[in-house]
Amino acid sequence: MKVAIAGRANVGKSTLFNRLVGKRLAIVNDTPGVTRDRREADARLQDLAFTLIDTAGFEGADETTLEGRMWRQMTRALDDADIYLFVVDVRAGVTPLDEMLAADVRRRGKPVVLIANKAEGRTGDLASLEAYSLGLGDPIAFSAEHGEGLSDLRDALADAMEAVEADQALASVHEPVLDTEIDEETDGEIDTAAVDPARPIHVAIVGRPNVGKSTLLNTVIGEERMLTGPEAGLTRDAISVEFTSGDQRFKLVDTAGLRRRAKVVAPLERLSTADTIRALKYAEAVIVVLDATQPFERQDLSILDLVAREGRAIVIALNKWDLVRAPDETIRAAREAASRLVPQAAGVRVVPVSALSGRGVPKLMDTVREAVTRWSARISTGRLNRWLEMATQRHPPPAVGGRRIRIRYMTQAKTRPPTFIAFCSRPEVLPASYQRYLMNGIRETFDLPGVPIRLTLRKQDNPYAD
């Protein structure tokens, strides 16, 4: 079942979300309106398991404003949910905004659990009595910050789930019985191999503020899932969305824009930046979104360097392509700049896209899939050492201090990213330039463009040392 948390801004919805999910997924801050996009996660309350949806706070603004667009996101979450957790702040009392939102919730006709939050201490029960005026049933005196009232919430939520199940059972009684064909060979059993979905590829979408990351995600999934607009810095939480393209499942994570570290001074922006970097660390592939009209600025290069150091598969999305007047010249310059300015992932794919029109988006997702395939590649030890012999003959390691360095053997230690170990006579003095020569040779020979490669040097043990 889907359970949505509703309420006006700054009543503790995200704190409740983190409490029930058991992780600090949503950013929590005293500033009103921190949450802007709805977030879904699996939650558990004692023996109850359900999908929990955190929503933006209701502020009763005009639909053309940012707050009005946040409200549209909230209404979509309420449409999808089976049960509502309606949260009020007992310290502030019942406000006109609470009454307006409660009226909307009542009209929807779905089960509602009324939570009187911030009801810590002895006076909490008395303060929660005012919530009766909303007409949403008995309020539960609750403290999301301290976890008080969880047992009462569990009982109320269980009753609401039973009511939903009863309604669903009643609806199924009136549904017409459809004739079905049974495959004689399978004797009516489902072919589990055919319906077993592929494991989703985790993809983080990162970039500077206002380059179109949220618009790109909405276009990819074909739904207005993320809040968008001309304002910079709309996205604050790292929000994940699953979708399927062809036979491949993806888990896309939209993130807050990354600015230069010196400019990140507000506590809320620090939390958003930390959330973005956390999403990047857990991703398999990263789409770095650049503005096609101003590509490869200093902050773009810092972001690309950060992704490469984390060892993720990289794809560059050159967004706002509909604004480019000389497309052929621009794409050639962008690919040349990518090879020159991002040597850690030489050959990284650059895909021109328009998040507004959808142009280039299917190719972008195909490129992400190919990048992850290369990122997961394993090269046999035999092929690797045959290449190593030719590479060292063509360009021998330099002599340091009058003594030549010998590289005797190489093997791949792991994938994702491809990591190699080279055994040589004097690893401590092998120049960094020669190590780059080896990594670029691996990348070119074994078709690994845009893949960060790790190389570790080890000294081979001398069997006669003792």
Side-chain angles (χ1 to χ4, degrees):
M1 284 191 185
K2 286 191 173 183
V3 180
I5 305 175
R8 60 181 177 81
N10 214 31
V11 295
K13 298 186 299 299
S14 294
T15 305
L16 173 63
F17 178 86
N18 290 341
R19 172 70 62 180
L20 297 180
V21 170
K23 301 176 184 176
R24 186 166 178 168
L25 294 180
I27 293 178
V28 176
N29 193 273
D30 292 335
T31 306
V34 170
T35 302
R36 289 175 173 172
D37 296 289
R38 66 186 190 269
R39 178 196 287 272
E40 297 185 11
D42 295 331
R44 179 174 291 276
L45 182 56
Q46 297 178 17
D47 58 327
L48 304 180
F50 49 94
T51 298
L52 191 62
I53 309 173
D54 188 20
T55 64
F58 175 61
E59 299 185 39
D62 183 79
E63 289 190 1
T64 59
T65 64
L66 171 60
E67 291 76 14
R69 301 200 301 273
M70 291 164 60
W71 164 241
R72 288 203 301 272
Q73 286 283 328
M74 183 179 180
T75 56
R76 292 190 185 94
L78 297 180
D79 291 339
D80 293 341
D82 302 299
I83 300 168
Y84 305 144
L85 301 182
F86 192 95
V87 184
V88 296
D89 181 353
V90 299
R91 297 177 186 171
V94 175
T95 68
L97 285 178
D98 291 323
E99 294 173 350
M100 289 175 59
L101 183 55
D104 182 85
V105 167
R106 282 199 306 271
R107 284 193 296 269
R108 294 174 179 272
K110 296 181 180 180
V112 181
V113 177
L114 179 57
I115 298 177
N117 193 31
K118 305 183 184 180
E120 298 91 348
R122 298 178 180 178
T123 60
D125 291 334
L126 293 175
S128 64
L129 297 179
E130 186 183 357
Y132 274 104
S133 62
L134 295 173
L136 298 177
D138 298 336
I140 298 172
F142 196 82
S143 172
E145 187 172 357
H146 299 95
E148 298 177 9
L150 287 172
S151 296
D152 294 337
L153 176 58
R154 181 264 166 210
D155 294 339
L157 193 54
D159 293 341
M161 288 181 173
E162 289 179 4
V164 172
E165 290 172 353
D167 290 342
Q168 292 174 347
L170 184 62
S172 65
V173 171
H174 300 289
E175 289 180 357
V177 178
L178 302 177
D179 293 332
T180 56
E181 295 182 1
I182 298 179
D183 190 343
E184 294 180 357
E185 294 183 2
T186 60
D187 198 24
E189 295 181 358
I190 297 175
D191 182 6
T192 55
V195 299
D196 184 25
R199 186 184 64 82
I201 296 175
H202 290 244
V203 183
I205 302 176
V206 302
R208 291 185 286 118
N210 215 28
V211 294
K213 299 182 295 298
S214 298
T215 305
L216 178 61
L217 185 143
N218 288 343
T219 303
V220 168
I221 66 175
E223 175 190 346
E224 195 175 344
R225 178 64 176 78
M226 303 299 300
L227 187 67
T228 60
E231 303 91 346
L234 280 182
T235 303
R236 285 174 173 168
D237 291 273
I239 305 295
S240 62
V241 182
E242 288 199 26
F243 87 108
T244 302
S245 175
D247 59 348
Q248 180 62 58
R249 291 171 56 209
F250 291 91
K251 188 171 185 178
L252 292 178
V253 182
D254 187 26
T255 64
L258 291 174
R259 297 201 301 162
R260 290 170 54 189
R261 184 178 299 178
K263 293 186 176 182
V264 180
V265 293
L268 186 55
E269 188 173 3
R270 284 203 197 101
L271 293 173
S272 297
T273 300
D275 213 24
T276 297
I277 294 175
R278 190 181 308 113
L280 190 153
K281 290 176 182 285
Y282 283 100
E284 297 169 280
V286 177
I287 299 175
V288 181
V289 184
L290 308 185
D291 187 335
T293 62
Q294 301 173 356
F296 297 102
E297 291 196 347
R298 184 175 179 180
Q299 182 61 11
D300 295 328
L301 298 178
S302 297
I303 293 171
L304 286 164
D305 180 66
L306 174 63
V307 177
R309 282 190 281 111
E310 289 295 332
R312 305 293 155 227
I314 308 173
V315 175
I316 295 176
L318 212 56
N319 192 27
K320 305 183 182 180
W321 195 246
D322 48 314
L323 302 179
V324 174
R325 296 186 177 181
D328 293 339
E329 180 181 342
T330 303
I331 191 62
R332 280 196 302 268
R335 286 170 178 161
E336 185 275 330
S339 298
R340 176 170 47 85
L341 299 174
V342 193
Q344 313 93 316
V348 59
R349 298 297 192 226
V350 180
V351 183
V353 298
S354 172
L356 282 177
S357 67
R359 178 183 175 185
V361 170
K363 182 180 179 181
L364 175 66
M365 300 315 298
D366 291 340
T367 305
V368 169
R369 186 173 181 174
E370 293 172 4
V372 173
T373 301
R374 292 188 173 95
W375 185 64
S376 307
R378 180 171 289 280
I379 305 169
S380 68
T381 302
R383 290 182 62 201
L384 197 59
N385 282 280
R386 285 193 294 272
W387 165 82
L388 177 64
E389 184 178 0
M390 290 188 294
T392 52
Q393 286 178 358
R394 182 166 56 246
H395 184 185
V400 179
R403 297 169 54 194
R404 186 165 295 281
I405 302 171
R406 295 183 179 179
I407 304 176
R408 296 185 174 89
Y409 182 76
M410 182 179 286
T411 186
Q412 185 172 357
K414 62 184 287 291
T415 62
R416 307 164 69 88
T419 303
F420 302 90
I421 299 176
F423 295 89
C424 61
S425 57
R426 301 168 65 199
E428 67 280 359
V429 296
L430 186 67
S433 58
Y434 197 83
Q435 296 180 42
R436 287 194 298 271
Y437 162 72
L438 293 176
M439 288 188 285
N440 289 333
I442 292 172
R443 188 179 287 114
E444 181 180 350
T445 303
F446 299 105
D447 192 26
L448 302 176
V451 176
I453 290 176
R454 305 274 175 83
L455 177 63
T456 302
L457 302 177
R458 290 186 184 173
K459 190 170 185 177
Q460 200 164 15
D461 293 336
N462 183 356
Y464 303 103
D466 296 331

